[in-house]
Amino acid sequence: MTAVEPQPVGEHRPATGTAVRRKEDTRLLTGRGRYVSDLVLPRMRHVTFVRSPIAHARLSAIDTTAALATEGVHTVFTGEHPAMRAVSLRARSALPGYVETDQPPLARGKVRFAGEAVAAVVADDRYLAEDGAEGVDVDYEPLAPTVCAWAVPTDPVHDEAPDNLLLSRTFRAGDAADALAQADVVVERELTTNRHGGNPIECRAGVARFDGADRRLTFWSGTQVPHLVRTQLAELLELPEGDVRVIAPDVGGGFGVKSVLYPEDVALCLMAIATPDTALKWVEDRVEHLLAATHARDHRYVLRAGFAADGELLAVTADVWCNTGAYSVYPWTAGIEPLMAGGLLTGPYKLSHYEATVRGVATNTSPSGPYRGVARPSTVFAMEALMDSGARALRMDPIALRRRNLILPADIPYKMPSRLVDDSGAYEACLDRAVEVFDVERWRAEQARRREAGERPIGIGVGIYNELTGLGRAASAGPRMPFRTGHDACTVRVNPDGRVTVFSGVTSQGQGLETTMAQVVADALGVAYDDVTVRYGDTDESLWGFGAFSSRQAVIGGGAAQLAGTDVRDKVLALAGALREVDVSDLDLRGGQVYVRGQEKPVIALAEVARVAYLQSDRLPEGFEPGLEGTKFYDPVRGAFAAGVQIAALEFDPVTGGTTILSWVCVEDAGTIVHPVIVDGQIAGAIAQGIGGAMYEHLVYDDVGNLTTGTLLDYLMPTAGEIPELTIDHVSTPAANPTGARGVGEGGTLAPNAVVAGALADALGVEVDDLPVTPARIWALLHGGADR
Amino acid sequence: MRITLTVNGTRHRLDVEPRRTLADALREDLGLTGTHLGCEHGVCGACTVLVDAEPARACLMFAVQADGSTVRTVEGLAAPDGTLDPLQEAFSTCHGLQCGACTPGMLMTATHLLEVEPAPDRERIRAEMAGHICRCTGYMGIVDAVESAARAVRAPS
Ligand code: FES
Ligand code: FES
């Protein structure tokens, strides 16, 4: 785990597979990071949004007189401002029956959730802008709010959807009803999962500046998807795409929350266009973030599963409601959670008979969007709850029942009941390894001993999952949107001094992609890791990348980096061969030096080849163009499924409902690992967020749509005091892509719901149907009565 | 109001409104943007700085309350030639940071911990760092880093 040491000339130690020092660390550790929140531009003004305190209301008059009279305030924008009036974010999908709805940059006509922005105040600094916001007087005529996705609305959220249903789809394979009728055992569960969210430590932030003379917009944004944002802004603002530049510098965490283009982002850009040559800055605070950044995982599952007497899973039926909140999230649509839920519910298990109806239902709550693991923390909880109930009904060991039904290497490629194709098959290998590392037998013995001795009970929980990573065009993320997210580009440029600059389409919110891309290119090209610099997150620098979501960047951005590096290596060798009159097939490039295979001394240095390519065209052989760079796209077409298993032992205190995690083991198949410490860091961080969702984090609305958990005193995220020491281990089956990597960004979040709920049932014999598993919930399950 | 602050060894005279937070004075008026804001209501710990050698949440303190004080921020940890201090070094080698948003606060609290308690065990480190939220790392790398920096400081090689 130390930095690479300087290496002798010509030696090439592969960077892949080693824990090289992260390129981003020095600036982030010394307070020299470049976050949007830190950006200062000359004569910059600051924006504060005025947010609705009411969940559902008609907007009548907005009086801005007092605000405009406030010292330091320049302008106040509302939804009816000529700059705003005509613009709507409209998440599009060709899915049959999907109801398209509009989201205005600032509310128009009515407000649909508490926290929706109704006006924006521009002032000399943030304090003054907030003073101004207090002077904005809004008249609301309340309408009946709907908070619950399975309640019948009085006043619909959108007129276009009188029943609030924005989309519904049924997945069907085989004949589930018939198979249930034939089953020896049928179990039923009715589950809800808790609304929570990503909550990156840096909240949302943006700076927009419009150059009036050139009519060019620059938008600095803490976004995970700068190129997508550029395309969308160009469309929405009717600017040529080449005149929009989106820059995502250092970003303080994302987790999906920042893969959305928000109405505030669009409003900020529209205001910048309306006030040319003046930079406008918006930095969100945490209270706003909890209110108005996307939420996730507010779902209900009504489930039945049928098993044969030997444990074979015969059929699953599911009715699923996903609360999509007030707007169909742009650009991912209200389909993002329900379709993922229906598509991946059956997880790593073989199944022929499946019927699942999933719904996306609008309510007067903050919109739901992508959050690490999209829907699968809920579906893995649902599926594993069926497995645990099945094991109890069949009197089988829960691990044995799971093992009986896993997709095995011999089944690959396996067409899931939703017709997604699973290329993994590493579930049993992960399970075997997890059982061994965790030492199930030891914990079972300890469990028995405690029962005997009357000590505090412990339970063992299990979660097995498939993480769908690196989705290519055939498996593209999102529901039939107007774009397919299968590819990324990478440009590798050898500079005139022989050092290398990589212009990658990836983005990073902490995942260390700057480092990972440098490792991949260093090895593909044949140069030292320290000689590679990576640029990313700026649409004027990198050709194209869809950004960070669906655990895709190591696979797709890494694939493009590998291909581009190889392309440039070929160019270097061709030029070197021509310069030295050696056959190219005899040449090799290592550590920045070109060798004839089998010879100890290099024939030419990369730096000299580069010098010829840029500065000495008189030396360029016939047929060679100046310059030394290459650009490649990569699309894996399908995806790389990543298998994972988590097993944990938890201790419960029946008197207080308190829970202590005693041991937590995770085994994942990350394929070929580029940077072992970054990979384990992704897994550990994901598990911690999963544990947060399983045990602590809950965004709670009251019946009229007020968020009652609006600060970090009410919305609890786990700290070093709650997250235990985690044991992370691997099996490795390289994926069929240029780097062999499988994505690891999300897998860790998928199991903790299942693990915690499973452990509780195992310890105390009570099935928990509603998350999170809090002390109050445990106490209520054991002693009866309400849990809040 | 006119105040004087000594930040990372340099004296600054500032004219601030009474309502201006210490965090904003550091970030906006002195350009020391290494001190981050994660919640602005005293829970996440990202804004932690040392005021007269004690950890303080710069989002909850007004700049005027720090008048006459000595403040240390993340920018003051590395040596003037850029050499990282042992904690910064350990955070890098132990992967105690990902996005870096929580990191300055973590570093300042850990700096204080190692100054008052040179040999904390893991449990003690976890308890002390539990006033901070990190959304990225799952904390193990952070605990490893503080533990290993403590060892490095005790036995400089
Ligand atoms: S910003 Fe000060 S504690 Fe969160
Ligand atoms: S490193 Fe991102 S919040 Fe801690």
Side-chain angles (χ1 to χ4, degrees):
Chain A
M1 296 215 306
T2 51
V4 211
E5 288 149 23
Q7 10 185 308
V9 174
E11 282 299 301
H12 185 73
R13 198 189 300 160
T16 295
T18 56
V20 294
R21 190 186 190 94
R22 293 203 324 163
K23 291 196 180 277
E24 38 282 84
D25 279 356
T26 300
R27 65 175 187 273
L28 300 183
L29 283 164
T30 53
R32 268 40 178 221
R34 295 176 290 265
Y35 301 87
V36 175
S37 329
D38 302 338
L39 186 64
V40 177
L41 294 175
R43 294 173 302 285
M44 185 168 79
R45 291 175 185 168
H46 297 258
V47 173
T48 286
F49 289 99
V50 178
R51 298 183 180 278
S52 171
I54 295 180
H56 200 190
R58 258 178 231 303
L59 265 183
S60 31
I62 302 182
D63 183 353
T64 61
T65 327
L68 285 166
T70 307
E71 187 209 320
V73 169
H74 293 276
T75 354
V76 179
F77 289 85
T78 69
E80 300 298 341
H81 190 283
M84 300 281 162
R85 208 161 43 205
V87 180
S88 290
L89 291 77
R90 193 173 173 89
R92 285 180 289 156
S93 159
L95 210 70
Y98 168 64
V99 180
E100 280 190 9
T101 50
D102 280 344
Q103 180 173 28
L106 294 174
R108 275 196 302 261
K110 67 184 222 171
V111 291
R112 295 183 173 86
F113 71 99
E116 182 167 8
V118 294
V121 178
V122 182
D124 283 332
D125 73 22
R126 201 169 166 220
Y127 289 77
L128 300 170
E130 286 184 15
D131 290 347
E134 292 193 0
V136 176
D137 196 10
V138 187
D139 271 352
Y140 299 97
E141 294 167 26
L143 295 163
T146 310
V147 174
C148 173
W150 42 98
V152 182
T154 314
D155 297 326
V157 181
H158 296 274
D159 293 344
E160 301 90 322
D163 50 3
N164 281 350
L165 191 65
L166 297 184
L167 112 161
S168 150
R169 179 168 167 197
T170 300
F171 294 79
R172 227 177 246 117
D175 186 338
D178 185 58
L180 278 179
Q182 317 251 334
D184 293 306
V185 164
V186 174
V187 294
E188 302 188 7
R189 296 292 297 265
E190 196 176 323
L191 311 171
T192 62
T193 56
N194 46 313
R195 174 184 285 256
H196 55 286
N199 274 293
I201 291 302
E202 185 193 27
C203 293
R204 295 179 290 165
V207 176
R209 189 186 62 205
F210 187 68
D211 293 323
D214 301 339
R215 298 194 53 75
R216 294 193 54 175
L217 176 75
T218 308
F219 182 42
W220 290 263
S221 171
T223 178
Q224 298 171 225
V225 292
H227 281 91
L228 263 182
V229 165
R230 183 186 67 182
T231 301
Q232 293 159 353
L233 286 177
E235 275 175 28
L236 290 165
L237 312 177
E238 297 182 2
L239 291 170
E241 190 156 344
D243 290 338
V244 179
R245 178 180 184 184
V246 178
I247 303 173
D250 288 322
V251 179
F255 317 118
V257 176
K258 295 177 184 170
S259 66
V260 170
L261 182 67
Y262 284 95
E264 290 94 337
D265 298 327
V266 177
L268 194 68
C269 292
L270 287 166
M271 293 189 283
I273 293 171
T275 51
D277 306 312
T278 306
L280 300 182
K281 181 175 189 175
W282 167 56
V283 175
E284 178 184 59
D285 69 23
R286 182 63 55 184
V287 172
E288 291 182 277
H289 187 88
L290 288 164
L291 266 179
T294 50
H295 298 170
R297 319 228 210 282
D298 183 350
H299 302 179
R300 176 182 184 222
Y301 295 79
V302 178
L303 303 153
R304 300 178 78 197
F307 294 88
D310 70 350
E312 183 188 358
L313 177 65
L314 299 175
V316 170
T317 65
D319 254 307
V320 181
W321 289 259
C322 296
N323 190 330
T324 66
Y327 292 101
S328 189
V329 66
Y330 189 84
W332 305 104
T333 83
I336 182 151
E337 288 199 312
L339 295 180
M340 189 66 94
L344 269 301
L345 175 66
T346 60
Y349 302 112
K350 279 185 282 199
L351 179 67
S352 307
H353 303 284
Y354 177 57
E355 183 164 331
T357 298
V358 297
R359 303 164 188 82
V361 186
T363 62
N364 297 108
T365 61
S366 186
S368 295
Y371 171 36
R372 201 173 199 173
V374 180
R376 285 155 297 159
S378 303
T379 62
V380 172
F381 167 54
M383 198 60 208
E384 298 294 64
L386 290 175
M387 284 289 166
D388 285 335
S389 296
R392 275 188 287 277
L394 290 157
R395 297 181 180 283
M396 261 180 95
D397 174 74
I399 292 178
L401 178 64
R402 285 169 168 85
R403 198 185 284 281
R404 167 76 184 73
N405 290 290
L406 287 177
I407 297 167
L408 300 174
D411 303 314
I412 296 307
Y414 182 80
K415 193 180 267 191
M416 296 174 63
S418 59
R419 286 188 274 282
L420 283 165
V421 178
D422 187 333
D423 73 326
S424 169
Y427 308 104
E428 192 169 42
C430 286
L431 182 60
D432 288 344
R433 183 77 191 135
V435 163
E436 186 190 328
V437 174
F438 173 76
D439 198 346
V440 171
E441 278 180 26
R442 183 172 76 84
W443 283 109
R444 284 285 175 222
E446 170 66 7
Q447 187 178 41
R449 189 196 64 76
R450 287 186 180 213
R451 275 195 187 130
E452 195 85 353
E455 291 175 22
R456 266 189 208 154
I458 59 174
I460 297 170
V462 185
I464 309 181
Y465 49 93
N466 46 12
E467 181 185 0
L468 185 47
T469 80
L471 302 176
R473 71 177 87 102
S476 171
R480 299 200 207 167
M481 298 175 303
F483 53 90
R484 281 264 163 182
T485 62
H487 53 269
D488 278 357
C490 183
T491 300
V492 171
R493 179 181 301 162
V494 177
N495 297 311
D497 64 358
R499 290 175 193 252
V500 179
T501 307
V502 179
F503 300 87
S504 169
V506 302
T507 68
S508 193
Q509 302 77 40
Q511 308 92 315
L513 269 307
E514 188 174 340
T515 295
T516 304
M517 294 302 119
Q519 289 177 279
V520 170
V521 170
D523 289 351
L525 184 55
V527 297
Y529 168 74
D530 286 345
D531 285 340
V532 181
T533 302
V534 179
R535 303 275 169 75
Y536 59 102
D538 181 341
T539 60
D540 270 11
E541 289 189 338
S542 306
L543 174 58
W544 185 260
F546 276 102
F549 51 87
S550 299
S551 305
R552 62 188 294 285
Q553 298 197 115
V555 175
I556 302 179
Q562 166 82 29
L563 296 180
T566 306
D567 179 55
V568 175
R569 173 195 179 85
D570 291 346
K571 287 177 177 163
V572 170
L573 294 183
L575 182 50
L579 285 170
R580 288 290 184 260
E581 298 179 349
V582 184
D583 193 65
V584 176
S585 59
D586 290 338
L587 292 179
D588 188 19
L589 175 55
R590 305 192 306 270
Q593 300 286 332
V594 180
Y595 294 85
V596 172
R597 265 177 238 280
Q599 292 185 4
E600 242 173 60
K601 288 186 83 176
V603 290
I604 190 169
L606 172 60
E608 192 181 340
V609 177
R611 196 170 169 80
V612 171
Y614 287 97
L615 298 166
Q616 299 176 335
S617 53
D618 55 318
R619 289 180 64 195
L620 265 185
E622 236 351 82
F624 282 87
E625 303 237 327
L628 209 44
E629 74 162 28
T631 297
K632 288 286 171 191
F633 279 86
Y634 176 64
D635 181 336
V637 186
R638 292 197 180 285
F641 271 74
V645 173
Q646 291 175 36
I647 308 183
L650 277 68
E651 176 188 280
F652 297 94
D653 182 341
V655 178
T656 64
T659 303
T660 311
I661 298 171
L662 304 177
S663 170
W664 195 293
V665 169
C666 173
V667 178
E668 285 199 11
D669 177 10
T672 303
I673 290 177
V674 179
H675 192 299
V677 180
I678 287 179
V679 164
D680 283 0
Q682 284 296 302
I683 294 170
I687 295 171
Q689 280 185 325
I691 290 173
M695 298 174 64
Y696 303 99
E697 300 178 36
H698 197 181
L699 290 159
V700 181
Y701 282 95
D702 68 14
D703 293 343
V704 291
N706 298 307
L707 184 66
T708 62
T709 52
T711 73
L712 296 190
L713 291 167
D714 320 291
Y715 183 82
L716 306 178
M717 289 189 273
T719 71
E722 287 78 44
I723 299 299
E725 304 285 336
L726 305 166
T727 306
I728 295 166
D729 206 290
H730 298 274
V731 303
S732 175
T733 49
N737 63 48
T739 60
R742 297 175 188 273
V744 289
E746 299 170 276
T749 56
L750 306 188
N753 281 340
V755 168
V756 173
L760 177 66
D762 185 52
L764 300 172
V766 289
E767 287 188 338
V768 60
D769 295 326
D770 306 296
L771 300 178
V773 182
T774 58
R777 178 104 60 208
I778 293 169
W779 201 91
L781 280 168
L782 291 175
H783 304 277
D787 54 4
R788 284 205 209 124
Chain B
M1 289 174 69
R2 290 187 184 283
I3 59 167
T4 307
L5 291 179
T6 303
V7 184
N8 303 328
T10 308
R11 258 169 78 94
H12 297 274
R13 281 191 192 80
L14 289 175
D15 190 4
V16 292
E17 275 193 278
R19 64 175 174 172
R20 194 159 189 80
T21 64
L22 176 60
D24 285 341
L26 292 169
R27 289 178 50 84
E28 316 273 331
D29 302 336
L30 300 180
L32 296 171
T33 53
T35 297
H36 292 165
L37 290 167
C39 69
E40 300 175 69
H41 54 255
V43 180
C44 76
C47 65
T48 304
V49 296
L50 302 184
V51 177
D52 294 332
E54 289 294 323
R57 311 223 146 182
C59 72
L60 285 190
M61 190 165 179
F62 293 116
V64 293
Q65 292 175 287
D67 185 19
S69 302
T70 297
V71 179
R72 284 162 68 197
T73 72
V74 68
E75 286 91 345
L77 293 181
D81 70 352
T83 308
L84 301 184
D85 87 346
L87 260 172
Q88 290 170 311
E89 191 59 41
F91 265 69
S92 181
T93 49
C94 301
H95 200 33
L97 76 160
Q98 290 184 21
C99 78
C102 70
T103 311
M106 294 278 184
L107 285 170
M108 297 321 288
T109 292
T111 297
H112 174 257
L113 173 64
L114 298 191
E115 279 172 3
V116 297
E117 241 177 276
D121 63 15
R122 284 181 82 78
E123 213 168 314
R124 181 74 191 104
I125 294 168
R126 280 185 177 275
E128 195 66 15
M129 305 306 286
H132 293 256
I133 297 169
C134 173
R135 207 49 175 160
C136 297
T137 62
Y139 301 104
M140 252 189 338
I142 293 171
V143 180
D144 291 347
V146 178
E147 203 183 23
S148 114
R151 264 198 309 271
V153 172
R154 288 200 307 274
S157 53

